[in-house]
């Protein structure tokens, strides 16, 4: 942004957006909720990419994490439970100038909104998706989520949940036309930031699952992983996340994984012994439905009138 | 009327002396087994007649199943075409002439009282030569029965004649019949040729030529062997006309409104709106989005509209049910949205292809909490076009969802109407991207009208977070009771403000009398024809037809007071007063009647049913006569 360009002219932007330009209301999440870290990382991505707040729309469904747009200084759409994806797709469909983000939770995305999630992956409309996955329903007070581990004690399953969880990464990787799938954690701000930045820069539907701690209802779920970096598996590659050395050094378990390798991506997604973080899969060549949506923008009134009259001619008596 | 020697097919006995009748109007039906092309034949005949400047109304005759067994009694598939020397507004009563591809399909039409004594039946006669004895027997028995019941039956060698030109008479028999009808009704062969070309424009030249040949053969055969012909003089009016069905009109209205996004999920009988748009919309600057489900379809439209591109969704009853939550979101967040509801029979999956006006109360009241919105109903195919244009404007002016109700009767009915004259103000304005006035709140409700301006993403300094939660003028989530009361009040006030702009409904007939019929939607043509008949017979009956159902048009209570009795005519369920267990306590009224009673505190009765068919003028006339002791 700052500095000398090759023609030695200093570009001073008309307006430089600071972090405070992306701040909205004071967050009302619980102290030590993982959502705070995600909010900060998203605001930093906006600042570092200098996204004009008026050209940026944060969309969400319903749930704790779906309060996200209220805490941003951009435009926001806090919609309906499970429906963030179709709303976000509609926003972007004919507005190439807008930067669209979706904040969604595990209930919102992987339960009530599952059909929309699957199809949004397939539409591959350009947007950044943050699945804040705490493996529990928080806002409605501790019900089992589709990503809750089997045996989770909750208000709907006081004797332990019955079914194994959905794996959001495996599920996403199984959808036709999937173009970007990554995983990160709320307790490593640098990795979180790098992942969201890569997702934002991806031309298409970028899906990021963020393991997010709920201090109130699922505090124990990621406790061990947050305390012990060895429980994580860092995916690295020249086409993957470019982490600073001191961040990468934290993880002794690493694997060289090419994000174009879908076969290995699916194998890694199913790994149970360690939690892989980084980019599982990225393909910039996939069909983008927003390109179809935007192929005929900007008709003038005269063009529209001519089109209507041509139609009326076809049906003329 | 038919040459008595025709069965010998002797070319030498060509009939030159025809009985030619000049008639004001006729009702024609073409019925066949499903898949034999009777609908295409009927639609083509309707279009040709419209192009000859006749008044036209067509109705599809649809079997209950997609592919009922051949020659089944309930399997009639086809078309009814009513043509006349004046504007035709409805399907009419009994048919004057019927073409049937087999005798069995006639039974369901007879059950529905579609024919009268003297109705001319032109019947495919190949069945008498069938190698299945039962079929030969059925054919002879039915023939005898039809004649005994006073129908004027002619046996026509349709297949035999087609076989002279085509190896497969199942493809093209409908065009042969079209040719026959074109002769019978003195249609212009050049217009008929043009229609066949239009119908098959996607097909190969071979198929086009074959169909043209069959059509001409049908015409020549009828000219040679039929002893009668009808002239239906054209309408007097000569203004430019267009002819289409209601769903095409809704689609064309979408283009005329400058709408850019049609977001839909397939549902009968609404889908053909999107079929039409899928063909044409992109060349008019729009795109059809086929969503993954009904909910996504409306949510996508809401997203597009929020981003400044006024969008539209098209659906039918079950889809309206699924969209309920999103409709309420559009009300709560004050997002403009046009919803086209082509109604079908309900509840549940109901009668997908049949006519019902069952969504009235669901669209007005169907959301939890108070969800004020505009609901309007088209009563003609012309209104299907213009109401989309109007709905888009109202949705943007009052920042709320606007329903346009149509139904299966309008959806597939074909009617000519004056060619719309485009006006630039039909189009939605370009997306406003000028900086937002600092200090103006996103829901700064005007005290008098309840209307607020809305910032659109891209507008500098307009950033706000839209929410479906209760919110204040800043769009901040607010649970304080006074704020919710105030916000609800302002959303409701918008409807009252819109109501100020409406005129009282026009009364068809005297402003006072013994009986006032109130209708809405596609029943208008039948109601007005029935009322006219009874008025001619001296009955003091008038009618009015509501276009706006929410808010209701002004002065209804005052208008109702001038009549001894008020009765709705509508196609949805209401208890009959003399049914078992039905008392004034238990009687559940048909929908408009229920609504008008509550609205006007007037005694309102109803004539309604859910037979899945349009209501014909004759049955309304009978009911009016009964009410008036005529």
């Amino acid at each position: 942004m700052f500095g000398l360009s090759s023609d030695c002219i200093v570009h001073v932007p008309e307006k430089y957006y600071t972090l405070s330009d992306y701040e909205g209301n004071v967050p009302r999440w619980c102290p030590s909720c993982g959502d705070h870290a995600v909010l900060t990382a998203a605001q930093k991505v906006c600042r570092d990419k200098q996204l004009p707040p008026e050209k940026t729309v944060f969309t969400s469904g319903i749930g704790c994490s779906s309060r996200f747009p209220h805490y941003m200084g951009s435009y926001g759409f806090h919609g309906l439970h499970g429906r963030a994806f179709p709303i976000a797709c509609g926003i972007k469909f004919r507005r190439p100038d807008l930067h669209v983000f979706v904040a969604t939770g595990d209930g919102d995305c992987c339960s009530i909104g599952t059909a929309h999630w699957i199809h949004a992956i397939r539409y591959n409309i350009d947007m950044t998706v943050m699945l804040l996955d705490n493996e529990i329903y928080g806002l409605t007070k501790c019900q089992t989520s589709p990503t809750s581990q089997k045996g989770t004690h909750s208000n709907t399953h006081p004797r332990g949940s019955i079914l194994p969880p959905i794996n959001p990464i495996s599920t996403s990787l199984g959808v036709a036309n999937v173009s970007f799938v990554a995983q990160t954690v709320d307790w490593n701000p640098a990795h979180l930031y790098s992942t969201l930045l890569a997702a934002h820069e991806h031309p298409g539907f970028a899906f990021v699952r963020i393991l997010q701690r709920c201090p109130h209802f699922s505090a124990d779920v990621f406790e061990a992983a947050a305390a012990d970096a060895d429980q994580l598996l860092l995916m690295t590659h020249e086409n993957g996340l470019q982490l600073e050395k001191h961040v990468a050094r934290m993880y002794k378990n690493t694997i060289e994984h090419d994000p174009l390798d879908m076969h290995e991506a699916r194998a890694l997604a199913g790994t149970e012994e360690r939690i892989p973080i980084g980019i599982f899969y990225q393909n910039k060549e996939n069909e983008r439905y927003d390109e179809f949506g935007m192929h005929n923008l900007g008709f003038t009134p005269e063009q529209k009138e001519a089109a209507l009259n041509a139609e009326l001619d076809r049906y003329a008596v | 009327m038919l040459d008595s020697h025709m069965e010998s097919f002797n070319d030498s006995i060509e009939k030159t002396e025809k009985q030619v009748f000049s008639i004001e109007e006729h009702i024609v039906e073409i019925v066949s087994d499903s898949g034999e092309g009777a609908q295409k034949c009927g639609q083509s005949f309707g279009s040709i007649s419209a192009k000859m400047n006749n008044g036209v109304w067509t109705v599809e005759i649809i079997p209950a199943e997609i592919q009922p067994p051949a020659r089944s009694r309930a399997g009639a598939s086809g078309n009814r075409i009513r043509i006349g020397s004046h504007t035709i507004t409805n399907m009419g009563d009994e048919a004057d002439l019927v073409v049937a591809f087999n005798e069995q399909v006639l039974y369901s039409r007879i059950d529905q009282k579609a024919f009268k004594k003297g109705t001319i039946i032109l019947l495919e006669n190949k069945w008498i030569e069938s190698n299945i004895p039962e079929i030969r027997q059925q054919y002879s028995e039915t023939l005898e029965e039809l004649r005994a019941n006073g129908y004027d039956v002619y046996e026509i060698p349709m297949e035999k004649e087609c076989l002279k030109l085509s190896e497969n008479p199942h493809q093209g028999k409908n065009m042969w019949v079209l040719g026959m009808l074109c002769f019978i009704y003195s249609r212009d062969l050049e217009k008929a040729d043009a229609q066949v070309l239009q119908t098959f424009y996607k097909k190969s030249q071979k198929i086009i030529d074959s169909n043209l040949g069959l059509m001409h053969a049908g015409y020549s055969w009828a000219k040679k062997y039929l002893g009668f012909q009808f002239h239906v003089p054209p309408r007097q009016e000569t203004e430019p006309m267009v002819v289409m069905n209601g769903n095409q009109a809704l689609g064309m209205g979408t283009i005329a409104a400058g709408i850019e996004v049609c977001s839909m999920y397939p549902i009968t009988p609404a889908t053909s709106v999107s079929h039409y748009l899928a063909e044409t919309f992109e060349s008019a600057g729009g795109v059809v989005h086929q969503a993954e489900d009904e909910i996504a379809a409306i949510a996508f439209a809401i997203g597009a509209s929020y981003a400044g591109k006024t969008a539209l969704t098209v659906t039918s009853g079950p889809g309206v049910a699924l969209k309920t939550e999103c409709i309420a979101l559009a009300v709560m967040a004050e997002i403009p949205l046009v919803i086209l509801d082509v109604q079908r029979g309900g509840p549940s999956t109901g009668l997908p292809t049949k006519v019902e006006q069952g969504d009235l109360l669901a669209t007005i009241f169907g959301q939890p909490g108070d969800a004020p919105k505009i609901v309007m109903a088209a009563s003609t195919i012309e209104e299907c076009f213009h109401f989309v244009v109007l709905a888009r404007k109202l949705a943007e002016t009052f920042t709320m969802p606007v329903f346009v109700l149509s139904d299966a009767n309008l959806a597939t009915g074909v009617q000519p109407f004056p060619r719309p004259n485009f006006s630039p103000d039909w189009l939605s304005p370009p997306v406003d991207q000028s900086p937002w006035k600092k200090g103006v709140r996103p829901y700064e409700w005007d005290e008098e009208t309840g209307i607020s301006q809305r910032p659109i993403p891209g507008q500098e300094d307009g950033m706000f977070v839209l929410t479906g939660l209760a919110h204040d003028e800043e769009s901040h989530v607010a649970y304080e009771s006074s704020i919710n009361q105030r916000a609800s009040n302002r959303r409701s006030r918008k409807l009252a403000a819109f109501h100020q702009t409406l005129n009282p409904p026009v009364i068809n007939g005297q402003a006072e009398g013994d009986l006032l019929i109130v209708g809405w939607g596609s029943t208008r043509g039948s109601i007005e024809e029935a009322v006219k008949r009874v008025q001619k017979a001296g009955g003091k009956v008038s009618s009015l037809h509501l276009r706006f159902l929410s808010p209701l048009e002004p002065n209804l209570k005052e208008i109702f007071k001038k009549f001894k009795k008020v009765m709705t005519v509508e196609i949805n369920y209401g208890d009959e007063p003399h049914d078992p267990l039905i008392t004034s306590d238990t009687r559940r009224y048909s929908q408009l009647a229920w609504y008008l009673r509550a609205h006007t505190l007037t005694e309102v009765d109803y004539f309604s049913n859910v037979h899945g068919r349009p209501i014909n003028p004759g049955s309304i006339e009978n009911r009016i006569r009964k009410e008036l002791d005529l």
Side-chain angles (χ1 to χ4, degrees), chain A residues 54 69 75-78 83 86 90-91 93-95 116 119 123 289 292 295-296 299 304-305 311 313 315 317, chain B residues 50 241-243 260 276 282-283 285-287 289 292 300 304 306-307 419 422 433 456-459 464-466:
Chain A
E54 70 272 14
Y75 277 92
F77 195 126
H78 179 206
R83 318 300 170 207
I91 292 170
F93 195 51
R94 303 277 285 178
R95 290 293 304 268
H116 306 314
H119 285 276
Y123 295 139
Y289 190 56
F292 163 68
H295 82 278
N296 62 350
F299 268 51
K304 290 186 177 184
E305 180 181 358
E311 276 309 290
D313 288 345
Y315 289 84
V317 164
Chain B
M241 304 285 276
V242 287
V243 59
E260 286 184 27
Y276 169 79
E282 286 172 38
S283 57
V287 181
H289 167 56
E292 62 269 26
F300 190 99
Y306 162 78
R419 180 180 172 125
F422 175 78
Q433 293 289 273
I456 291 169
Q459 287 192 283
F464 77 107
V465 180
L466 176 146

Side-chain angles (χ1 to χ4, degrees), chain A residues 149-167:
Chain A
Q149 299 302 315
K150 185 178 166 181
T152 296
H153 292 265
S154 72
N155 284 328
T156 41
H157 294 99
R159 291 168 295 284
S161 65
I162 318 295
L163 297 170
I166 275 182
N167 180 333

Side-chain angles (χ1 to χ4, degrees), chain B residues 82-339:
Chain B
R82 185 179 180 194
I83 57 175
S85 302
H86 48 268
T87 302
I88 303 284
T89 64
N90 66 81
M91 65 186 278
D93 297 321
E94 297 92 358
D96 298 287
L97 183 143
V98 183
V99 182
F101 287 28
N102 71 63
E103 79 291 347
Q104 294 300 310
V105 294
L106 289 167
Y107 282 105
S108 64
R109 302 303 297 153
I110 290 168
D111 288 347
Q112 294 187 13
K113 302 187 172 56
F115 311 145
K116 60 189 172 192
K117 264 200 173 126
T119 294
I120 300 166
I121 296 177
L122 304 173
L123 179 61
E124 162 72 88
N125 71 354
K126 71 167 183 174
W127 309 104
I128 195 64
E129 288 167 13
S130 169
N131 48 20
I132 303 168
E134 290 83 4
I135 289 183
R136 291 200 300 274
Q137 194 188 341
Q138 280 175 349
Y139 179 82
S140 317
E141 282 174 9
T142 303
L143 198 62
E144 202 173 310
E145 190 184 327
L146 291 170
R147 286 186 168 137
N149 287 328
Y151 300 117
D152 194 5
V153 188
Y154 301 98
E155 296 177 85
I156 310 290
M158 299 179 197
E159 185 148 321
K160 203 170 267 179
E161 288 297 311
C162 289
L163 279 170
K164 292 179 182 171
L165 290 170
S166 162
E167 285 172 11
N168 182 1
H170 290 297
Q171 287 175 348
K173 194 196 275 186
N174 57 345
M175 289 297 115
W176 191 90
V177 168
L178 177 64
M180 175 174 74
L181 286 171
C182 283
F183 172 77
I184 294 174
Y185 288 98
S186 322
R187 307 287 82 167
D188 181 343
L189 257 181
E190 275 181 28
K191 289 198 165 66
D193 283 346
Q195 183 61 40
V196 174
L197 287 176
Q198 196 179 329
T199 304
F200 294 99
Y201 80 103
K202 281 182 184 166
K203 304 284 186 187
S204 69
Q205 193 59 41
K206 195 181 160 197
I207 291 177
I208 291 172
D209 289 344
S210 160
N211 280 291
L212 278 173
L214 284 159
M215 197 270 288
H216 279 259
Y219 189 95
S220 305
W221 183 90
K223 190 175 179 183
K224 205 175 223 178
Y225 294 110
L226 287 183
F228 59 93
Q229 194 178 23
F230 299 107
H231 279 294
V232 189
R235 295 161 62 252
Q236 295 304 309
E237 294 82 356
T238 52
E239 60 187 318
M241 304 285 276
V242 287
V243 59
M244 64 189 77
N245 69 34
N247 277 0
Q248 287 163 338
L250 288 172
M252 217 178 279
T254 304
I255 292 173
I259 288 167
E260 286 184 27
V261 176
C262 166
S263 178
M264 52 72 68
Y265 184 79
I267 185 166
T268 305
T271 318
S272 61
V273 177
S274 326
H275 292 176
Y276 169 79
L277 282 173
E279 284 274 350
T280 57
F281 207 17
E282 286 172 38
S283 57
V287 181
V288 175
H289 167 56
Q290 180 179 338
E292 62 269 26
D293 60 36
E294 290 280 359
I295 297 171
I298 187 171
F300 190 99
I302 286 174
S305 184
Y306 162 78
K309 307 282 185 178
T310 302
L312 159 149
T313 186
V314 193
T315 192
S316 189
V320 172
L322 286 164
K323 291 180 193 303
T324 299
E325 193 191 17
C326 280
I327 294 166
L329 172 66
V331 172
M332 184 62 142
E334 306 192 39
I335 302 171
L337 180 68
V338 176
I339 307 166

Side-chain angles (χ1 to χ4, degrees), chain B residues 269-555:
Chain B
T271 318
S272 61
V273 177
S274 326
H275 292 176
Y276 169 79
L277 282 173
E279 284 274 350
T280 57
F281 207 17
E282 286 172 38
S283 57
V287 181
V288 175
H289 167 56
Q290 180 179 338
E292 62 269 26
D293 60 36
E294 290 280 359
I295 297 171
I298 187 171
F300 190 99
I302 286 174
S305 184
Y306 162 78
K309 307 282 185 178
T310 302
L312 159 149
T313 186
V314 193
T315 192
S316 189
V320 172
L322 286 164
K323 291 180 193 303
T324 299
E325 193 191 17
C326 280
I327 294 166
L329 172 66
V331 172
M332 184 62 142
E334 306 192 39
I335 302 171
L337 180 68
V338 176
I339 307 166
L340 307 180
D341 175 10
V342 186
Q343 300 164 91
R344 65 193 221 180
S348 187
T349 311
L351 297 168
T353 58
K354 304 282 183 169
V355 181
E356 191 174 312
Q357 301 176 307
D359 295 356
L360 179 65
L361 297 181
T363 51
I364 300 174
F365 299 115
Q367 297 74 38
D370 184 45
K373 70 191 83 65
I374 294 170
V375 177
M376 52 205 282
S379 70
T380 61
I381 287 162
E382 183 177 16
E383 286 181 357
C384 286
F385 177 92
H386 290 286
F387 277 18
V388 184
V389 178
L390 180 55
R392 199 274 307 156
K393 231 184 230 187
L394 293 175
E396 276 171 17
T397 305
F398 295 95
T399 55
M400 60 166 67
V402 177
F403 266 103
V404 178
L405 300 180
S406 170
D407 63 36
N409 188 22
L410 291 172
T412 55
V414 172
Q415 188 190 30
F417 61 88
R419 180 180 172 125
N421 270 324
F422 175 78
S423 159
D425 68 1
W426 285 4
L427 300 176
S428 45
V431 182
D432 187 358
Q433 293 289 273
S434 62
W436 186 253
K437 240 181 272 163
K438 270 189 185 164
V440 176
R441 294 165 293 178
Y443 293 99
E444 193 149 314
W445 296 298
D446 180 79
E447 274 305 305
E448 288 196 4
T449 62
I451 296 171
S452 55
Q453 295 177 54
R454 68 185 186 114
I456 291 169
Q459 287 192 283
E460 224 176 296
D461 301 322
M463 285 80 78
F464 77 107
V465 180
L466 176 146
T467 177
L469 285 161
H471 50 266
D472 62 15
E473 296 187 340
E474 307 268 9
S475 195
H476 290 158
V477 177
Y479 295 121
E480 291 86 344
S481 55
S482 61
I483 292 176
N484 193 41
Q485 180 69 24
R486 182 174 142 77
S488 299
N489 172 279
R490 294 304 183 271
R491 290 192 295 271
S492 181
R493 191 165 296 176
K494 291 191 290 185
L495 271 195
F498 170 54
H499 188 263
Q500 302 281 307
T501 70
L502 292 175
N503 292 322
V506 176
I507 299 169
N508 168 41
Q510 299 294 319
E512 55 182 41
D514 294 335
L515 178 64
L516 178 70
I517 302 289
V518 185
W520 66 282
S522 71
T523 50
R524 180 174 152 210
S526 289
I527 291 174
E528 291 183 356
E529 187 167 333
V531 165
K532 203 170 169 186
R533 289 182 199 168
V534 182
Q535 282 170 345
K536 269 190 185 162
K540 286 184 180 163
V541 57
S542 302
S543 69
L544 67 82
H545 213 74
L546 294 170
R547 270 41 163 232
F548 286 97
L549 285 317
S550 171
L552 274 166
E553 292 167 31
N555 281 11

Side-chain angles (χ1 to χ4, degrees), chain A residues 10 18 59 69 72 84 107 267 313:
Chain A
V10 180
T18 63
T59 312
M72 292 294 302
D313 288 345

